[in-house]
Amino acid sequence: MRSIWNGAISFGLVSIPVKLMNATENHSISFRQIHTADGGRIRYRKVCELEEKEVAASEIGKGYEDADGSLIPITDEDLAVLPLPTAKTIEIVAFVPASAIDPLQMDAAYYLSANGVPATKPYTLLREALKRSQKVALAKFALRGRERLGMLRVVDDVIAMHGLLWPDEIRTPEGVAPETDVSVREAELDLADALMNTLGEVELSSLHDDYRAAMEQLIAVKVEGGVLPEAAPAEGGGQVIDLMAALESSVRAAQEARGAGGEAGGEVAEVTPIKGRKRAASAPKAAAGAKKSTTAAAKKAAAKKTTSAKSTKSAAGTKSTAATKKTAAAKKSTPKKTTPRKHASA
């Protein structure tokens, strides 16, 4: 592994000679610009605007562009007089918990290797001290012409250093959060937790760049002169209307995917249907039906009562008529009582 910087870690009065190496590498596929008409390569040439001719790299220096557009030359001698104590030193300034570092500050990662046999003992001392304290070291260092902030931590048996952005280089998330107030129900949070538990954890080593693999396959087909497959239709991003239904479907899909993949270990969450969701939609209809049947029953009972009253009234009328007729017949059949007239003599 090739070193890109040589210097020393300043740990109080202890100096640890180290070499700095890149801990990461870029696997993305790069392209060159070509002329579409004939396939010729497009190149950029460094040309002086005043002389209108190409300039060699040895003749190119640095300059600062002022607000009015004028360029102020900055030479290497000018930079050499700047007070930069960390030019060849990684100066540790503090030891803090790892949780005190905002992940937004994380930048490039490097490995620090002990440079020579005399550096082995102090290097191991610093490594073991970081392990036992469970802290990380904040340090300043200079790389590529500027001072940077770094974080030292232990990875396996190696001290790694992460370049950090300065705190004033982190933007505040002003105007990023939703401006409207949204209330989240407990049932929705429960389903979200169930989805998180179902997805579970994953081995980072099992994750791959599928796009890069497809790009490599495409290039291989083009080299061999093969026929490319037809492009898959783009899927439209539909708007989620029912969040609860989407969460439930996501949990079921995750469970099926884990079952098909034969994933072992990890707790699989169960989807508990929320009672009253579907019934709530049909409740007004049921209430309306109950109200309608109650009204019909009331009307029916009223009609029955009215009919009964009419029947009673009719029967009473008939009974009264019969009694009247009977009384009249009795009066007719009863003989009249005659009173004897008194004689005049009497």
Side-chain angles (χ1 to χ4, degrees):
M1 196 176 293
R2 188 174 62 89
S3 63
I4 61 173
W5 181 90
N6 292 337
I9 299 176
S10 175
F11 179 31
L13 297 177
V14 179
S15 181
I16 311 172
V18 292
K19 295 185 293 184
L20 189 71
M21 292 159 284
N22 284 318
T24 60
E25 56 187 0
N26 188 2
H27 289 166
S28 61
I29 299 175
S30 59
F31 296 99
R32 305 295 184 186
Q33 291 186 337
I34 62 172
H35 187 197
T36 55
D38 54 14
R41 175 80 178 274
I42 303 297
R43 296 182 182 273
Y44 290 96
R45 303 182 187 275
K46 298 179 180 181
V47 178
C48 176
E49 293 181 351
L50 298 179
E51 298 180 357
E52 294 185 354
K53 69 176 185 179
E54 188 174 356
V55 180
S58 59
E59 300 178 7
I60 299 176
K62 300 180 181 68
Y64 175 79
E65 186 175 2
D66 204 357
D68 58 358
S70 61
L71 294 173
I72 303 172
I74 304 295
T75 64
D76 292 339
E77 290 75 14
D78 297 333
L79 297 175
V81 300
L82 293 177
L84 191 60
T86 56
K88 285 294 181 179
T89 305
I90 300 174
E91 181 184 354
I92 296 177
V93 296
F95 292 89
V96 298
S99 58
I101 306 299
D102 190 344
L104 285 174
Q105 293 184 253
M106 294 288 187
D107 201 0
Y110 308 94
Y111 288 136
L112 294 174
S113 173
N115 192 3
V117 177
T120 304
K121 180 66 178 288
Y123 181 93
T124 305
L125 173 65
L126 177 59
R127 183 191 67 193
E128 296 303 316
L130 289 172
K131 281 184 180 180
R132 190 169 71 171
S133 66
Q134 296 183 351
K135 292 183 178 181
V136 297
L138 283 180
K140 289 182 178 181
F141 68 102
L143 186 64
R144 298 187 179 96
R146 60 182 291 253
E147 190 173 49
R148 302 167 185 259
L149 188 63
M151 179 191 74
L152 277 65
R153 69 184 184 98
V154 178
V155 177
D156 295 334
D157 288 331
V158 176
I159 298 176
M161 182 173 69
H162 295 268
L164 299 179
L165 299 175
W166 296 99
D168 58 357
E169 293 179 323
I170 305 298
R171 291 180 175 180
T172 58
E174 185 177 357
V176 179
E179 296 180 357
T180 57
D181 294 334
V182 179
S183 60
V184 180
R185 294 181 296 170
E186 289 294 330
E188 294 170 342
L189 285 175
D190 292 342
L191 278 176
D193 290 340
L195 179 57
M196 292 167 61
N197 294 333
T198 304
L199 293 175
E201 299 179 357
V202 65
E203 288 291 337
L204 292 180
S205 59
S206 65
L207 300 179
H208 303 284
D209 188 350
D210 296 331
Y211 182 80
R212 180 168 61 89
M215 181 65 68
E216 292 174 350
Q217 184 179 3
L218 182 146
I219 293 173
V221 173
K222 296 279 286 186
V223 169
E224 297 174 358
V227 180
L228 296 176
E230 296 183 359
E235 297 181 359
Q239 184 180 4
V240 178
I241 299 176
D242 191 345
L243 181 59
M244 297 292 291
L247 286 170
E248 290 176 355
S249 301
S250 301
V251 173
R252 292 192 183 94
Q255 289 178 347
E256 292 174 359
R258 276 193 167 276
E263 293 286 346
E267 184 178 352
V268 179
E270 297 182 358
V271 181
T272 303
I274 300 175
K275 298 181 179 180
R277 285 191 60 233
K278 296 183 178 180
R279 297 177 183 175
S282 59
K285 295 183 179 180
K291 186 176 180 182
K292 187 175 180 181
S293 59
T294 305
T295 307
K299 289 182 178 180
K300 188 174 181 181
K304 187 174 180 181
K305 187 176 180 181
T306 306
T307 306
S308 176
K310 287 183 178 180
S311 302
T312 306
K313 188 175 180 181
S314 176
T318 307
K319 188 175 180 180
S320 175
T321 305
T324 305
K325 289 181 179 181
K326 188 175 180 181
T327 306
K331 286 182 179 181
K332 189 175 181 182
S333 59
T334 304
K336 293 183 179 180
K337 185 178 181 180
T338 57
T339 304
R341 293 181 180 181
K342 295 182 179 180
H343 295 285
S345 59

